[in-house]
Amino acid sequence: QVTFTPETVEPLCYKAIEAVLKDKMYNPIHVTPWVDEICSRVTKDLIDMNKPFKYLVSCMVMQKNGAGVHMGHSCFWDRTNDNVVVARWPSERRKDPNARMVCIVTVFGIAF
Amino acid sequence: MDSEHFEFPALSETVTNVAMKVMFQVLESKRYTPSKTAEWTDMIGNRIIDQMRAIAPNFKYIVNVCLVQKVGAGMHCETLSYWDAKTDGMVQTKYENESLTCLCTVIGVSI
C-alpha cells in the first residue's frame, strides 16, 4: 500500500514558498502570480513523484498586519491511504524574521 | 437498492447553497474571536459533509474553511487540482459580516 507522507511533501512546499516569497513585500498586483507559481511548483513536484494519488494544492498568502486567521479542514475519506500536509511559513520550523507575509500551503493526497 | 451516482460538476449549485446556508447558520452576527474559530471551522466543515453525504454518497469529501479577521489585510487564496475533471470537482463560496470573512472550499473526489 502506498501512503501519502508528510515527510516527503513538506520540503516540496517550503522549497516553493521560499523560492517565490522570500524577501518580498506583500503586493496586491503580484500576489496572484506568486500564488499561481507556488501551486504550480508544488503540483509539478508531486506529479514527478509518480505515485497513484489525486492531488489538491491550496495556497493562501496574507499580508502581515495583525489580522487573525484560522484555517481548518474536515475530511470524509479513507484514513489508511489519504492524507493532508499543511506547511505554514514562517513557522517555528521554518523561521524568517523578515517575512512580511504569511503563507499557508495545504496539500491533500487522495489515493485512487 | 443502488444509490444515485453523481458527477461533482453537476452538483455545484446544490453545494453552493448548502455551504452558504451552513456558514450563515454558524457565523451570522458573530465577531472574530480567536478562542472560537476552531469550533466554528469544525462545525461548518462537519455540517457541510453530513449534508453532502446525504445528497451524494459516492464521493470522498474535503471541506476547507478559512476564517479571516477584517482589519484591512490583503489576502489571496488559490487551489490547484490534479484529478479526473469529469467526475471530481470543487466549489468555493464566501461569507462576510462586519467582523470576519469566511472562505469555504468544498471538494468532492469520486470514489
Side-chain angles (χ1 to χ4, degrees):
Chain A
Q1 269 185 341
V2 181
T3 51
F4 185 77
T5 57
E7 293 75 28
T8 38
V9 176
E10 229 178 60
L12 305 180
C13 299
Y14 285 122
K15 194 176 89 177
I17 295 169
E18 283 168 358
V20 176
L21 297 182
K22 201 169 167 56
D23 298 327
K24 302 248 190 16
M25 296 282 291
Y26 184 87
N27 183 316
I29 299 168
H30 294 140
V31 71
T32 307
W34 288 343
V35 168
D36 276 347
E37 180 69 22
I38 292 169
C39 285
S40 302
R41 284 183 186 223
V42 173
T43 309
K44 185 181 176 303
D45 287 347
L46 289 167
I47 294 170
D48 287 347
M49 280 163 59
N50 236 343
K51 297 206 173 160
F53 286 96
K54 293 180 179 179
Y55 297 109
L56 276 134
V57 177
S58 179
C59 175
M60 184 192 87
V61 171
M62 199 166 112
Q63 191 178 17
K64 224 181 184 184
N65 81 342
V69 64
H70 183 91
M71 190 182 268
H73 40 258
S74 303
C75 308
F76 175 73
W77 57 19
D78 175 358
R79 284 179 66 176
T80 324
N81 295 317
D82 305 332
N83 207 349
V84 59
V85 173
V86 181
R88 276 162 287 259
W89 181 86
S91 66
E92 276 308 304
R93 290 164 65 174
R94 268 318 226 257
K95 293 182 202 274
D96 185 340
N98 298 321
R100 295 287 177 271
M101 293 176 271
V102 171
C103 178
I104 303 177
V105 172
T106 311
V107 183
F108 297 95
I110 299 146
F112 60 82
Chain B
M1 189 174 81
D2 288 332
S3 51
E4 213 176 326
H5 190 95
F6 294 93
E7 288 174 350
F8 201 86
L11 292 170
S12 321
E13 203 179 312
T14 309
V15 176
T16 306
N17 292 339
V18 167
M20 288 304 302
K21 196 173 90 179
V22 169
M23 285 192 286
F24 187 79
Q25 275 170 2
V26 176
L27 298 173
E28 200 218 343
S29 311
K30 301 281 201 314
R31 298 200 59 76
Y32 186 91
T33 312
S35 57
K36 293 274 195 186
T37 49
E39 182 193 324
W40 292 339
T41 52
D42 277 352
M43 214 183 270
I44 291 168
N46 293 338
R47 281 190 195 183
I48 291 175
I49 286 182
D50 288 345
Q51 291 186 34
M52 286 314 303
R53 282 183 62 203
I55 296 168
N58 61 298
F59 290 98
K60 293 181 180 179
Y61 285 105
I62 297 165
V63 180
N64 198 22
V65 181
C66 186
L67 281 171
V68 186
Q69 189 179 17
K70 260 183 169 171
V71 292
M75 187 183 95
H76 189 84
C77 194
E78 178 186 306
T79 304
L80 204 154
S81 55
Y82 177 72
W83 56 22
D84 180 344
K86 187 165 173 283
T87 55
D88 308 332
M90 94 179 134
V91 169
Q92 219 165 34
T93 45
K94 186 175 81 165
Y95 168 85
E96 275 188 89
N97 66 24
E98 277 181 0
S99 165
L100 54 81
T101 305
C102 179
L103 273 167
C104 177
T105 311
V106 181
I107 294 149
V109 177
S110 187
I111 295 174

